Amino acid sequence: MKKILIVDDDPVARQILNAQLRARYQVLMSGDAMAAFTEARKHEPDLVILDLGLPAGGGFVVLQRLKSMPALSGIPVIVVSGLDRATNEPKALAAGADAYMGKPADEQALAAKIAELIGE
């Protein structure tokens, strides 16, 4: 079963995504930037769903660190954020994100993007 790491400081958002994904994937969750990086190194997920507004470093720090480590740099990242899309989408894509969705993400669009990125 493929692993997806959900990184969001909002426990409700994490649980909503967990409920949507747990039937098809092993779901790992983290509530801040430092824990996210630790989880990614420990479990090497197949995909990361990343919020940008995180304590302990922020989503851009997580994205930068993931993309700078050879063992983790190939992990696809979908940014799901409620922050200003016009400003943050180009910045996230330039930093290595594979997709950007506004929050809350459309469940069907998210499922399709996950399947596309991890080859299902």
Side-chain angles (χ1 to χ4, degrees):
M1 183 175 277
K2 298 212 175 191
K3 296 177 278 194
I4 294 180
L5 173 59
I6 298 168
V7 183
D8 197 312
D9 61 325
D10 180 349
V12 174
R14 285 195 309 266
Q15 289 305 322
I16 289 169
L17 287 169
N18 182 38
Q20 292 173 358
L21 300 172
R22 67 179 173 224
R24 295 192 63 193
Y25 306 102
Q26 179 184 348
V27 177
L28 311 163
M29 293 187 281
S30 175
D32 68 59
M34 294 307 293
F37 191 66
T38 300
E39 287 293 305
R41 287 181 46 196
K42 181 177 178 183
H43 297 286
E44 294 187 10
D46 297 289
L47 183 130
V48 174
I49 297 174
L50 179 64
D51 183 25
L52 294 178
L54 297 172
F60 282 110
V61 171
V62 174
L63 185 56
Q64 179 185 22
R65 291 184 77 187
L66 286 173
K67 296 303 177 182
S68 70
M69 292 201 60
L72 304 176
S73 64
I75 297 172
V77 176
I78 299 173
V79 170
V80 177
S81 179
L83 297 177
D84 179 59
R85 188 170 188 159
T87 301
N88 289 293
E89 182 175 14
K91 188 175 172 183
L93 296 173
D98 296 274
Y100 189 103
M101 296 184 172
K103 191 187 255 188
D106 177 78
E107 187 174 350
Q108 291 181 331
L110 180 61
K113 185 53 74 174
I114 290 169
E116 174 190 326
L117 291 171
I118 61 177
E120 294 193 325

